[in-house]
Amino acid sequence: MEANLEKEIVLSAIQPTGTPTLGNYLGALKNWKEMSADYTCYYAVADLHSITVRPEPKDLRRRTLEMYALLLALGLDPEQNTVFVQSHVPAHAQLAWILNCYTQFGEAARMTQFKDKSEKHPENVNVGLFAYPTLMAADILLYQAHYVPIGADQKQHLEITRDIAERFNGLYGETFRIPAPFIGKAGARVMSLQDPTKKMSKSDTNVKAFISVLDDKDTIVRKIKSAVTDSEARVYYGEGKDGVNNLMGIYACCTGKTNAQIEAEFSGKGYGDFKAAVAEAVVAELAPVKEAFDRLMADKAYLNECMQKGAQKASYVAEKTLRKAMRRVGFYQL
Ligand code: ATP
Ligand code: LTN
C-alpha cells in the first residue's frame, strides 16, 4: 500500500448513457486497464454528467450498475484501483460549483461538445450541458491527477480544465495539479461503421454503426461485414479510404500490428478476407470482457460492496482537495 503513494495518479470517467462501444473500449477503457498496472487509478461512472440528457430514472439506475460491472469486467482490480460512482462522492458537485465561478461564460460557450449537443438537441439546452466541463474539471482536479486517459474528442475539455486550474492556482497559490491528457495513438478515434467520417457513438440511432462491447460473436461478424468501405478492393491506408482506414485502426488496436504489417498480410486479398480477420480479432478482444460482465452482473451484492468501498476511498482523497480549495477561497471554517 505504501508504495502506491509514490505512483503517479490517473483519473478518468465514463457516462452511463448506454453500453460502451468498441470506440469507448479502444479509445479509453483499454488504456484504463493498461494504466492500472503502473499508476494509482481513480475511475468513475459519471452519472452526474449523464442527466444532461434526462434519462428515465430506472434506466439511469440500471446503466450505472452495468457500467460499474463493466469496469470491473475489464479486469480492473477494485482493491488496487478506486472504482466508484461519481454521485456517491458529493465533493464533485461541490467543487464544480466553485469552479463555475472561475470559468468565463465565453470559454465554456466555445466548447465543441456543447455546440454539437445543443445543435442536436435544441429542445433541451440546459445549464448542466453548458457547465459539463466544469464538473469534469472537478472530477479531475479533486484527485490531483497527473494523467487523464480519454479519447481525442475530450481533449478540449482537458484544456479548459488546465486553464481553470492555472487560473485558480494563480489567484490563490498551488491548489490543484495541472493534469495532462493521455490519448492512445491507435483507437483515439474509432469511426462509425456506416459513416466512417463520423465518430462511433453509443447513442447512434443506427445500431449497425457501432459495435457494443457486449455484442455476441455473430452480431460482431455481421456488423463488420456490412461496414462501409470503398470500391477499390485493396487494403491499404490512404486518403479517401475512411472505411478501410477505420477497420485497419481497429485491427491494429486489437492485434498490435502496424499498418505496414496489415497491408502486407492482405496484399492480393479482397475486403472479404480482411473483414473476416478484423471481426475475428474484435471477437477475441471482447469475449473475455463479456464473460466477466455476465458473471459480475449475477452478483449484485458484490458489486454494491465494491461501490461502497470505492466511494469511501474516493471521498477521502476528494474531500482533502475540496477543503483546501474552500479554505483558499475564504469560506468560513468550523
Ligand atoms: P455518447 O455517444 O453518449 O455521446 P460517447 O460514446 O461519446 O457518448 P462518452 O461516455 O462520452 O461516450 O465517452 C467515454 C470515453 O470514450 C471518452 O474518453 C471518449 O473520449 C471515448 N470515446 C467515445 N467515443 C469514441 C470513439 N469513437 N473513438 C475513441 N474514443 C471514444
Ligand atoms: N466527459 C467525459 C466523461 C467524463 C470524464 C471525466 C472523462 C466525465 N468526467 C473526467 C475524463 C475525466 C466523456 O467521455 N464524455
Side-chain angles (χ1 to χ4, degrees), residues 15 17 23-24 117 151 153-154 187-188 190 199-203:
Q15 302 186 73
T17 41
N24 301 129
K117 299 219 164 169
D153 63 306
Q154 294 297 311
V190 178
K199 81 162 189 167
M200 182 180 283
S201 169
K202 57 178 154 1
S203 48

Side-chain angles (χ1 to χ4, degrees), residues 98-288:
I98 296 175
L99 299 181
N100 277 336
C101 302
Y102 297 85
T103 306
Q104 293 306 300
F105 184 90
E107 61 183 337
R110 274 197 298 277
M111 292 296 108
T112 313
Q113 180 176 303
F114 173 68
K115 289 193 275 186
D116 284 354
K117 299 219 164 169
S118 35
E119 228 169 78
K120 255 202 241 157
H121 306 283
E123 72 295 345
N124 186 18
V125 183
N126 56 70
V127 175
L129 190 65
F130 185 69
Y132 187 107
T134 51
L135 177 58
M136 181 159 160
D139 297 343
I140 298 166
L141 300 177
L142 280 172
Y143 299 89
Q144 307 287 351
H146 293 82
Y147 303 108
V148 184
I150 40 167
D153 63 306
Q154 294 297 311
K155 196 163 164 247
Q156 203 185 27
H157 288 159
L158 237 291
E159 279 156 15
I160 197 175
T161 300
R162 293 166 58 97
D163 291 344
I164 298 167
E166 274 165 7
R167 186 172 304 145
F168 194 101
N169 288 350
L171 286 166
Y172 300 112
E174 284 307 301
T175 309
F176 303 121
R177 176 172 285 125
I178 308 302
F182 177 88
I183 300 175
K185 236 190 354 279
R189 191 169 259 136
V190 178
M191 309 309 278
S192 155
L193 297 178
Q194 292 299 312
D195 176 0
T197 61
K198 269 184 15 195
K199 81 162 189 167
M200 182 180 283
S201 169
K202 57 178 154 1
S203 48
D204 202 311
T205 47
N206 181 357
V207 296
K208 281 163 76 182
F210 60 86
I211 290 173
S212 139
V213 298
L214 301 177
D215 276 347
D216 60 30
K217 181 169 179 235
D218 292 348
T219 310
I220 294 174
V221 170
R222 202 164 2 95
K223 285 182 178 174
I224 290 184
K225 230 187 219 166
S226 66
V228 170
T229 46
D230 52 67
S231 53
E232 199 184 12
R234 264 183 59 215
V235 178
Y236 69 95
Y237 195 95
E239 211 168 308
K241 291 182 72 76
D242 296 328
V244 172
N245 294 348
N246 188 36
L247 291 177
M248 282 180 72
I250 292 172
Y251 191 59
C253 248
C254 295
T255 58
K257 291 178 186 168
T258 63
N259 279 346
Q261 286 170 324
I262 300 171
E263 285 166 9
E265 184 177 347
F266 296 100
S267 103
K269 293 185 183 158
Y271 290 161
D273 289 334
F274 175 50
K275 284 179 167 177
V278 176
E280 196 182 317
V282 171
V283 169
E285 182 78 33
L286 296 181

Side-chain angles (χ1 to χ4, degrees), residues 81-98:
N81 308 281
T82 305
V83 186
F84 66 102
V85 175
Q86 187 188 30
S87 69
H88 294 169
V89 182
H92 290 245
Q94 292 170 287
L95 183 63
W97 169 254
I98 296 175

